Amino acid sequence: MMRGKGIVNRLAAIAAALLVAGPLHAEDGYALWLRHAPPEGEGRSRLARLGGLIVANNPDHPTVALAMRELDDGLAQLRGGAAAADGAATGIRFDCHDPAVARGGAFRVMADKASLRIAAGEPVGCLYAAYAILRELGQGVDPAKLALDEAPAMPLRMLNHWDNPDGHVERGYSGRSIFDWWHLPEKLGPRMIDYARANASLGINAVVVNNVNARAFMLEPRYIAKLARLADAWRPYGIRVFLSARFSAPKDIGGLATADPLDPQVQAWWRAKADEIYAAIPDFGGFLVKANSEGQPGPQDYGRTHADGANMLAAALGMRGTVIWRAFVYQAEDTTDRTMQAYAEFQPLDGQFADNVIVQIKNGPLDFQPREPFHPLFGAMPKTRLMLETQITREYLGQATGIAYLAPLWKEVLDADTGRGGPKPKTVAQIVSPVGMAGVANTGSDRNWTGTHFDQANWYAFGRLAWNPSLTSEDIAREWTAQTFTRDTETVRRIAAMMLGSRDLVAQYTAPLGLAHLMGTGHHYGPSPWVCDLERPDWNPCYYHRADKDGIGFDRTAKGSGALAQYAPSIAAQWADAATIDEKYLLWFHRVRWDHRIKGGDTLWERLAAEYAWAEIGLRGRIQSWEGLRPHIDAERHAAIAADMARELKDARWWRDASMAYWQSVNGLPLPAGARPIPESLEAYRARTFPEAPGQ
Amino acid sequence: MMRGKGIVNRLAAIAAALLVAGPLHAEDGYALWLRHAPPEGEGRSRLARLGGLIVANNPDHPTVALAMRELDDGLAQLRGGAAAADGAATGIRFDCHDPAVARGGAFRVMADKASLRIAAGEPVGCLYAAYAILRELGQGVDPAKLALDEAPAMPLRMLNHWDNPDGHVERGYSGRSIFDWWHLPEKLGPRMIDYARANASLGINAVVVNNVNARAFMLEPRYIAKLARLADAWRPYGIRVFLSARFSAPKDIGGLATADPLDPQVQAWWRAKADEIYAAIPDFGGFLVKANSEGQPGPQDYGRTHADGANMLAAALGMRGTVIWRAFVYQAEDTTDRTMQAYAEFQPLDGQFADNVIVQIKNGPLDFQPREPFHPLFGAMPKTRLMLETQITREYLGQATGIAYLAPLWKEVLDADTGRGGPKPKTVAQIVSPVGMAGVANTGSDRNWTGTHFDQANWYAFGRLAWNPSLTSEDIAREWTAQTFTRDTETVRRIAAMMLGSRDLVAQYTAPLGLAHLMGTGHHYGPSPWVCDLERPDWNPCYYHRADKDGIGFDRTAKGSGALAQYAPSIAAQWADAATIDEKYLLWFHRVRWDHRIKGGDTLWERLAAEYAWAEIGLRGRIQSWEGLRPHIDAERHAAIAADMARELKDARWWRDASMAYWQSVNGLPLPAGARPIPESLEAYRARTFPEAPGQ
């Protein structure tokens, strides 16, 4: 027989071993930021007393019960599996119907040495509070000093899934769809719960489950049954389901001859369809619609406006739900600067949309490029409910290769002053806060959910910014890192620094100085600035860079397309002069000569070459820095991320070499002094094909 | 302070809690049969002494090092994480170059109270021994009584992946491909190691990494680099990589005008390609080729034979590797009974294939149906090396829905007496044992690898049968269950019983009495016996069932297609008479009248109706039985499997209802007395469409 102490040590070792475990149980990333790894030292002993007895005034409410269980489980994990110390344990009390707290997810947390009290206006606030407490403790906050008073900035915090019912994810780079439609409603995979939990931990409260390029059959009864099973499973997590609806559904599956929104039969069909959905899902959120865009059907097919189409669907939903209508439109026959078309179509409709219609606008006027100025519709439709659409999946920023932390991109837009909105101009965040924010999801069947470990941070950052757009990118990076990797302060600082600069590096080697849309056709990966023969002008990289022997860039000033005039005068003025514009937007708004001298004295050509070189230096430095973190990161994730970084460096060199070879073929200039030679010919770069590139 | 005992109990509870754990750490199936869950009671105490010191005579050999680590880790897990008892620990000794043991993976294990000795002819035998020891211990064998003396029955134990380079898996139902070609060679995911480990634990030693419907670009240098990274990672696990090669590659990527196997330039191109591959992968296994089948290019495009094509590639590989040439062929213009065409094309070529060519033959003459007689080529090509091709993925047996344990299907073929092979007729197992066995893999990106938990058993059973085809289906089911779920004897017995009957149930409701190929077009899921309008006759279910008002079935006797004559006379004699044939093959070989009385006295029509009804009763009984096992199975997997069973019952009823409605429409007969009414009309069943069905 062993002595008690020996057994204690041995069992403690088991517990530790099971947490890190063998090759099949390594840190695979599945737990996301909800790892709840126990702190060391003082932090651990402070936690030992917390969580003895958890009570609530209505513990049987599903969401309250969930909040209690999540907090209990999370605290147990933070304590390393140990039970809270008996006797002196801190009591925890939930009051989830406190009239002093707002509804809609707001909560307060008050602690002292003897108790932890959580108050919310409705149960979902208690759930958010539970996750917020764990987030704070996960970062090392003293439990006795917890003091939170939060309310979500935006009512709709929504993921848009571009997931097709056959499991393919359009622009998805992390495996197949997480939705197993084929086996619903009989089988609801555990991942559907883990997904809801991850979303709820961030305050995400709405999910559009299918691609905006929608299939009509998802409105059929067999799919409503599947959707109802999901809605039931997610309801306790405070998540409402929405569907992308195909505008031509009355024809596709309804047997009607038309989908004209002014046709009474069409209106009746949608009304009956909405009734059918609400009978199965009483809290169904509504429809997201991509209409008359990239081949999708819409009201313009019948000579009607976007407002006609949206309002017809809104009437079918009535007060029960919302129509979210996308402003991402551009026409094949329209020769206007593509970045101007959404404004031209939608701005005149301001004031014509029904109360339960939201117009959803991408962050920039083109299409989720590594950098764009904010969309000029923000501020230009004061009588319309506007929602911001961001892309979490990195369609144009390396996909699931390398690292691009997107919070800085989204913050640029949220913090942008529109120059409009009355006497006191409003930021984009102020404009969309009464409505909401959507993110195109980056989730997939990969074990770590998002393809790379760092892409989890983008899901996290989206949720946090939708909850509170005034958080800084650095705050979010630090809290994510502490929960995901380690609480070690210096390591957190260094990882956050890598994250903060990562998107600028991607922009620097794929779209320097305000260039855009230079990527490969179809798959949108890697460089193809030479492409100029696609059917539609605005599908071609050459349409955007306009490089020739004299210069490069898209003139969007009054002398050019005039797109600048879609912005408020005070904003347009900042960008109107190539000599004073922030260089990150230089070639977005201006066409300049290769020998144009920019700030610092370099010619544009020299500076362009330098941008690529700086990106390469930055990536090499990051690789070194990551190598230095090896002792602080588990081996599995350290190796995976090191491989991601090596691949990104290879790709950045490819972008630089191929792009520079092409620019040289256009401008005939020699490489600037000191520039690295280009190893292959332009023809060789042009000849590279990738028929198997993911995500097409 | 708590007393020691209290802490012990608490820590024991932690350890237990971490094993079942919270929502993100439940039994998700990722560990497969390598869970190494600690036994209870006596079994545990017996293990306590095992594994103190592990030594080997060449511990630095990568495979020996792996064997030592796997055994050490596995034993630690079986001991529940505890270190082996000090002092009295059993020593473990590996000798991995024992000349008394055969090479090629054979091993011996000898144990007594003081020691455990492992001997092998080469290191991979030691690795197999390590896994075999863990398998035995996992089933509760007393470590002091371990005594193994094993050698693989077949040299090639191979998985064929129908995985495309873009991540789509043809006939894959468990997510996307596990191969991340896009990020290779820089990034090798940890799943690639876990996959190799799972294979090695079964003795699988060869992997064809890409679909037989191959893309030529996978032979380009950038893919050879990717493949080399995989080969390097898998080499310690004893796994050789093979590639599916597109026969037209010299034209597709080589710039030649022809792929004629007798053209010297073509021969030189393949020789240079082989040299290029061997420079990167010295132990490259060779090529798998699907030629002149279902639209794939092949030697017949140039008037050459399969032997001409295979031998040309074999010459390019030389003694370094093997060409595996598939016999799955049928021609658009050939109106012969499709099941006869492979024999007609290949049998005359017997003796013409080079020594390093293998002809790979599917288990049956049609295409992986729920039940087929064995392929008549087995035994009919005595001068050719023949390999058995089986399908682990359930293309025609419910895909990743419900349960179908396939060992009984494979055993039927392996144990089949071909009636040929000289004075003492040989079984299929005896014919293929000198060569090998291939299985079309069912792995994917799903967390449990195979879509359903029970589909793991098919991967497992394939590997075990390739190692030793004389194992029984029940032995394999029991050992898999004990390692995967629980060692509880009664539970193992009941689960094994469910598994053993599962494939017969699927055959009973999808293909009763020897029918075949009645599934939906394209996706191969669900019933479509009515389909009769596809371009090629042999793509139509009606081609196979031939039902009309008089009768049903395919006459393959001398009065019909004559396919029976492709079998040895002694075998053909067993199947020649509709009155005496085993009913499971009745309608495969015979066309019979609806009022034909079969054994037991029922008419065919009554019996057909009864088959469907019995299947439904069987499925309901299984659901009840599974419900009774709830206390013995972890909640997550119990729920998932219960959902699988519910879905299968729903599908079985659909198969029955739709099929019976169709048969009635053909024969005009009323439902037999007591039969359940058919809830919908035939038109309603025919109108069902599933544009999103997986795996097309």
Side-chain angles (χ1 to χ4, degrees):
Chain A
M1 284 291 289
M2 288 180 287
R3 281 166 303 131
K5 188 67 179 309
I7 297 176
V8 170
N9 287 343
R10 184 143 297 168
L11 284 170
I14 299 169
L18 287 167
L19 280 170
V20 291
L24 287 170
H25 301 281
E27 286 272 13
D28 62 13
Y30 187 76
L32 296 164
W33 47 88
L34 298 168
R35 287 164 64 249
H36 302 320
E40 302 295 329
E42 191 190 353
R44 192 153 190 167
S45 54
R46 280 198 306 237
L47 278 170
R49 294 192 317 119
L50 186 61
L53 188 67
I54 302 181
V55 297
N57 52 359
N58 54 347
D60 295 333
H61 185 288
T63 300
V64 177
L66 195 56
M68 295 169 76
R69 204 186 75 202
E70 284 290 66
L71 187 56
D72 197 21
D73 288 355
L75 289 174
Q77 289 182 59
L78 282 170
R79 287 189 309 258
D86 300 334
T90 309
I92 300 178
R93 177 170 185 81
F94 282 98
D95 178 354
C96 308
H97 297 280
D98 184 337
V101 183
R103 295 173 63 87
F107 61 83
R108 292 186 198 149
V109 174
M110 300 137 285
D112 56 34
K113 290 214 175 283
S115 72
L116 180 63
R117 284 174 301 134
I118 296 121
E122 58 184 334
V124 73
C126 280
L127 183 62
Y128 294 156
Y131 292 121
I133 290 166
L134 294 169
R135 181 162 55 235
E136 295 289 309
L137 297 177
Q139 295 172 75
V141 170
D142 182 344
K145 294 180 181 159
L146 279 170
L148 301 168
D149 185 354
E150 297 203 20
M154 309 182 186
L156 265 180
R157 306 172 298 276
M158 170 182 270
L159 290 184
N160 290 1
H161 284 274
W162 288 359
D163 294 34
N164 293 333
D166 66 359
H168 175 76
V169 182
E170 186 173 323
R171 309 304 174 185
Y173 310 101
S174 48
R176 276 173 72 83
S177 174
I178 56 173
F179 301 112
D180 181 7
W181 293 107
W182 190 246
H183 290 113
L184 280 169
E186 288 84 9
K187 190 170 185 177
L188 181 91
R191 197 160 190 146
M192 289 290 92
I193 301 301
D194 297 333
Y195 165 79
R197 186 170 172 256
N199 281 339
S201 78
L202 304 172
I204 291 169
N205 67 350
V207 171
V208 185
V209 296
N210 62 322
N211 192 351
V212 289
N213 295 317
R215 303 292 300 267
F217 64 73
M218 290 191 79
L219 291 161
E220 289 178 347
R222 67 190 177 103
Y223 268 86
I224 294 172
K226 295 169 191 280
L227 193 65
R229 178 88 200 265
L230 279 186
D232 289 345
W234 292 349
R235 192 168 291 113
Y237 292 89
I239 294 170
R240 290 176 78 179
V241 299
F242 289 67
L243 262 183
S244 289
R246 187 170 163 88
F247 196 79
S248 56
K251 285 171 65 182
D252 302 331
I253 62 167
L256 300 188
T258 178
D260 181 349
L262 301 195
D263 182 290
Q265 279 190 297
V266 170
Q267 295 167 356
W269 187 89
W270 281 108
R271 169 74 65 148
K273 182 55 66 183
D275 291 347
E276 186 186 349
I277 295 172
Y278 280 102
I281 309 168
D283 57 354
F284 175 66
F287 297 128
L288 173 65
V289 185
K290 175 178 179 178
N292 293 121
S293 171
E294 299 183 320
Q296 293 298 307
Q300 295 177 343
D301 302 345
Y302 306 95
R304 317 301 183 187
T305 69
H306 285 292
D308 292 332
N311 293 345
M312 180 275 292
L313 290 176
L317 294 173
M319 295 312 296
R320 302 171 292 189
T322 304
V323 171
I324 302 174
W325 197 270
R326 291 176 92 231
F328 177 68
V329 295
Y330 61 104
Q331 301 293 340
E333 55 279 11
D334 193 340
T335 56
T336 319
D337 176 359
R338 176 171 149 186
T339 67
M340 300 172 69
Q341 296 183 28
Y343 183 100
E345 276 199 51
F346 276 83
Q347 198 282 330
L349 299 174
D350 188 35
Q352 297 184 27
F353 289 98
D355 288 347
N356 59 335
V357 172
I358 290 170
V359 173
Q360 180 169 299
I361 302 167
K362 287 189 181 181
N363 57 283
L366 183 45
D367 187 13
F368 296 139
Q369 295 301 299
R371 188 181 323 272
E372 301 184 33
F374 71 89
H375 201 297
L377 275 174
F378 290 115
M381 296 183 73
K383 290 175 273 181
T384 307
R385 296 168 70 202
L386 303 186
M387 185 161 163
L388 171 63
E389 178 177 323
T390 63
Q391 196 182 44
I392 308 174
T393 186
R394 293 192 278 125
E395 176 178 357
Y396 299 101
L397 289 101
Q399 303 176 3
T401 295
I403 301 172
Y405 174 56
L406 299 178
L409 189 163
W410 301 329
K411 284 290 285 186
E412 268 180 18
V413 177
L414 287 164
D415 293 347
D417 177 2
T418 63
R420 302 196 197 262
K424 211 175 162 194
K426 284 180 170 175
T427 64
V428 172
Q430 288 169 320
I431 289 163
V432 302
S433 280
V435 184
M437 181 166 160
V440 179
N442 65 348
T443 52
S445 63
D446 280 0
R447 253 174 100 61
N448 66 12
W449 296 86
T450 54
T452 78
H453 293 289
F454 272 107
D455 274 298
Q456 296 180 353
N458 291 325
W459 183 4
Y460 184 90
F462 168 80
R464 296 291 286 146
L465 285 174
W467 180 270
N468 181 2
S470 69
L471 290 172
T472 70
S473 298
E474 181 168 2
D475 288 342
I476 297 170
R478 282 173 177 263
E479 64 180 50
W480 176 79
T481 301
Q483 295 168 85
T484 302
F485 287 112
T486 173
R487 287 182 195 82
D488 177 68
T489 315
E490 177 57 15
T491 305
V492 167
R493 192 192 62 74
R494 287 165 69 182
I495 293 178
M498 285 179 200
M499 293 168 71
L500 288 170
S502 58
R503 173 270 193 145
D504 278 342
L505 286 172
V506 174
Q508 207 164 21
Y509 66 78
T510 64
L513 299 173
L515 290 171
H517 206 290
L518 305 180
M519 71 287 166
T521 304
H523 52 71
H524 297 177
Y525 192 92
S528 292
W530 47 77
V531 170
C532 208
D533 59 355
L534 301 177
E535 184 190 348
R536 286 175 54 169
D538 55 4
W539 285 348
N540 287 292
C542 70
Y543 172 90
Y544 295 97
H545 64 67
R546 311 206 160 193
D548 64 16
K549 67 178 173 35
D550 298 322
I552 183 171
F554 199 127
D555 185 354
R556 292 190 166 105
T557 68
K559 291 174 295 169
S561 76
L564 203 49
Q566 291 184 336
Y567 291 94
S570 63
I571 303 304
Q574 299 171 9
W575 296 333
D577 184 348
T580 57
I581 190 172
D582 186 334
E583 283 153 21
K584 68 189 181 191
Y585 294 135
L586 176 62
L587 302 179
W588 181 278
F589 283 114
H590 297 279
R591 177 173 169 71
V592 298
R593 296 181 52 85
W594 293 106
D595 58 3
H596 168 82
R597 298 257 161 209
I598 56 181
K599 293 174 208 166
D602 287 342
T603 67
L604 179 76
W605 176 232
E606 289 162 344
R607 177 61 180 274
L608 191 59
E611 292 283 335
Y612 292 115
W614 292 337
E616 196 175 320
I617 291 167
L619 293 172
R620 287 186 191 282
R622 198 173 66 188
I623 287 171
Q624 276 197 316
S625 182
W626 184 249
E627 183 53 38
L629 291 178
R630 184 183 291 274
H632 304 284
I633 306 291
D634 54 284
E636 180 164 2
R637 290 188 294 177
H638 192 275
I641 291 164
D644 291 333
M645 290 180 172
R647 172 63 176 257
E648 186 175 357
L649 176 60
K650 178 181 165 188
D651 283 354
R653 289 168 64 92
W654 170 34
W655 268 97
R656 180 267 182 192
D657 293 337
S659 300
M660 286 294 287
Y662 173 70
W663 305 136
Q664 278 196 296
S665 78
V666 171
N667 65 19
L669 296 171
L671 286 182
R676 181 166 61 74
I678 299 171
E680 296 180 50
S681 69
L682 175 59
E683 288 61 42
Y685 293 114
R686 293 182 65 141
R688 290 190 185 184
T689 58
F690 307 93
E692 80 290 16
Q696 301 196 46
Chain B
M1 283 293 289
M2 289 181 290
R3 283 165 302 130
K5 189 67 179 305
I7 297 176
V8 171
N9 287 343
R10 184 142 297 167
L11 285 171
I14 298 165
L18 287 168
L19 281 169
V20 293
L24 288 170
H25 300 281
E27 287 271 14
D28 62 14
Y30 187 76
L32 298 162
W33 48 86
L34 298 170
R35 285 164 65 249
H36 303 320
E40 302 295 328
E42 193 190 352
R44 192 153 190 167
S45 53
R46 281 199 304 238
L47 279 171
R49 293 192 318 119
L50 187 59
L53 188 67
I54 302 181
V55 297
N57 52 359
N58 55 346
D60 294 333
H61 185 288
T63 300
V64 177
L66 195 56
M68 295 169 75
R69 202 187 76 201
E70 284 290 65
L71 188 56
D72 198 23
D73 287 355
L75 289 174
Q77 288 182 60
L78 282 169
R79 288 190 306 260
D86 301 332
T90 309
I92 300 178
R93 175 168 188 84
F94 282 98
D95 178 355
C96 307
H97 295 281
D98 185 338
V101 184
R103 296 173 62 86
F107 60 83
R108 291 185 199 149
V109 174
M110 299 138 285
D112 57 34
K113 289 215 176 280
S115 71
L116 180 62
R117 284 175 301 135
I118 296 123
E122 59 184 334
V124 73
C126 280
L127 183 63
Y128 294 156
Y131 292 121
I133 291 166
L134 294 170
R135 180 162 57 235
E136 295 291 308
L137 297 177
Q139 294 172 76
V141 170
D142 182 344
K145 293 180 181 157
L146 278 171
L148 300 168
D149 185 355
E150 297 204 21
M154 309 181 186
L156 265 180
R157 307 173 297 277
M158 172 183 268
L159 291 184
N160 291 0
H161 283 274
W162 289 359
D163 294 36
N164 293 332
D166 67 358
H168 176 77
V169 183
E170 186 174 322
R171 309 305 173 185
Y173 310 102
S174 48
R176 276 173 71 84
S177 175
I178 57 172
F179 301 113
D180 182 4
W181 293 108
W182 189 246
H183 290 113
L184 279 168
E186 288 83 9
K187 191 170 185 178
L188 181 92
R191 197 161 191 146
M192 289 290 92
I193 301 301
D194 297 334
Y195 166 79
R197 187 170 172 254
N199 281 338
S201 77
L202 304 171
I204 291 170
N205 66 351
V207 171
V208 185
V209 296
N210 62 321
N211 192 351
V212 290
N213 295 317
R215 302 292 300 268
F217 64 74
M218 290 190 78
L219 291 161
E220 290 179 347
R222 68 192 178 103
Y223 268 86
I224 294 172
K226 296 168 190 279
L227 193 65
R229 177 89 200 263
L230 279 185
D232 290 343
W234 292 350
R235 193 169 291 114
Y237 292 89
I239 295 171
R240 290 175 78 180
V241 299
F242 289 67
L243 261 184
S244 289
R246 186 169 164 88
F247 196 78
S248 57
K251 286 170 65 184
D252 301 332
I253 62 166
L256 301 188
T258 178
D260 182 348
L262 301 195
D263 182 289
Q265 279 191 295
V266 169
Q267 294 167 355
W269 188 88
W270 280 109
R271 168 75 64 148
K273 183 53 67 182
D275 291 347
E276 185 186 348
I277 295 172
Y278 279 102
I281 310 168
D283 57 354
F284 175 67
F287 297 127
L288 173 65
V289 185
K290 174 178 180 178
N292 292 120
S293 171
E294 297 183 321
Q296 292 300 306
Q300 295 176 345
D301 302 346
Y302 307 95
R304 316 301 184 188
T305 70
H306 285 294
D308 292 332
N311 294 345
M312 180 274 291
L313 289 177
L317 294 174
M319 296 311 297
R320 300 170 294 189
T322 304
V323 171
I324 303 174
W325 196 269
R326 292 175 91 230
F328 177 68
V329 297
Y330 60 104
Q331 301 293 342
E333 56 278 12
D334 193 341
T335 56
T336 320
D337 176 359
R338 174 170 150 187
T339 67
M340 300 171 69
Q341 296 183 28
Y343 183 100
E345 276 199 51
F346 275 84
Q347 198 282 328
L349 299 175
D350 188 32
Q352 298 183 27
F353 289 98
D355 287 347
N356 60 335
V357 171
I358 290 169
V359 173
Q360 179 168 298
I361 302 168
K362 287 188 181 182
N363 57 283
L366 183 48
D367 186 14
F368 297 138
Q369 294 302 298
R371 191 183 318 273
E372 301 185 34
F374 70 90
H375 201 297
L377 275 174
F378 290 116
M381 296 183 74
K383 289 175 273 181
T384 306
R385 298 168 70 202
L386 302 185
M387 186 161 163
L388 172 63
E389 178 176 322
T390 62
Q391 196 181 46
I392 308 173
T393 186
R394 295 192 279 123
E395 177 178 357
Y396 299 101
L397 288 101
Q399 303 177 2
T401 294
I403 301 173
Y405 173 55
L406 299 178
L409 188 162
W410 301 328
K411 284 290 283 183
E412 269 180 19
V413 178
L414 287 164
D415 293 347
D417 177 2
T418 62
R420 302 196 197 260
K424 209 174 164 198
K426 285 182 169 172
T427 63
V428 172
Q430 287 168 320
I431 289 164
V432 302
S433 280
V435 184
M437 182 165 160
V440 180
N442 65 346
T443 52
S445 62
D446 280 0
R447 255 173 96 62
N448 66 13
W449 296 87
T450 54
T452 79
H453 292 290
F454 271 108
D455 274 298
Q456 297 180 353
N458 290 325
W459 183 5
Y460 184 90
F462 168 79
R464 296 292 286 147
L465 285 174
W467 180 270
N468 181 2
S470 71
L471 290 172
T472 70
S473 298
E474 182 169 0
D475 288 341
I476 297 170
R478 281 173 179 263
E479 63 181 51
W480 175 80
T481 301
Q483 295 169 84
T484 302
F485 287 114
T486 172
R487 288 182 194 83
D488 177 69
T489 316
E490 176 59 14
T491 304
V492 168
R493 192 192 63 74
R494 287 164 71 182
I495 292 179
M498 286 179 199
M499 292 168 70
L500 287 170
S502 59
R503 173 270 193 145
D504 278 343
L505 286 172
V506 174
Q508 208 165 18
Y509 66 78
T510 65
L513 299 173
L515 290 171
H517 205 290
L518 305 180
M519 70 289 166
T521 303
H523 52 71
H524 298 178
Y525 193 93
S528 292
W530 46 78
V531 170
C532 208
D533 58 355
L534 301 178
E535 186 191 348
R536 287 176 52 170
D538 55 4
W539 286 348
N540 286 294
C542 71
Y543 172 91
Y544 296 97
H545 65 67
R546 309 204 161 195
D548 64 17
K549 68 177 172 37
D550 299 320
I552 183 170
F554 198 127
D555 186 352
R556 293 191 165 105
T557 68
K559 292 175 294 170
S561 75
L564 203 49
Q566 290 183 337
Y567 291 94
S570 63
I571 303 303
Q574 299 172 12
W575 296 334
D577 184 350
T580 58
I581 190 172
D582 185 334
E583 284 154 20
K584 68 188 179 191
Y585 294 134
L586 176 62
L587 302 179
W588 181 278
F589 283 114
H590 297 278
R591 178 172 167 72
V592 299
R593 294 179 54 85
W594 293 107
D595 58 5
H596 168 82
R597 297 259 164 208
I598 56 181
K599 294 173 206 165
D602 286 343
T603 64
L604 179 77
W605 175 232
E606 288 163 344
R607 176 62 180 274
L608 191 60
E611 292 282 337
Y612 292 114
W614 292 336
E616 194 174 320
I617 290 167
L619 293 172
R620 287 186 192 281
R622 199 172 66 187
I623 287 170
Q624 276 197 317
S625 183
W626 184 249
E627 183 54 35
L629 291 178
R630 184 183 291 275
H632 304 284
I633 307 290
D634 53 284
E636 179 164 4
R637 290 189 294 177
H638 192 276
I641 291 164
D644 291 333
M645 291 180 171
R647 173 62 178 258
E648 186 175 356
L649 177 60
K650 178 181 165 189
D651 284 353
R653 290 166 63 92
W654 170 33
W655 268 97
R656 179 267 180 191
D657 293 336
S659 300
M660 287 294 288
Y662 173 69
W663 305 136
Q664 279 196 295
S665 77
V666 170
N667 64 19
L669 295 171
L671 285 181
R676 181 166 62 74
I678 298 172
E680 297 181 47
S681 69
L682 175 59
E683 288 61 44
Y685 294 113
R686 293 182 64 140
R688 290 191 187 184
T689 58
F690 306 92
E692 79 291 18
Q696 300 194 48

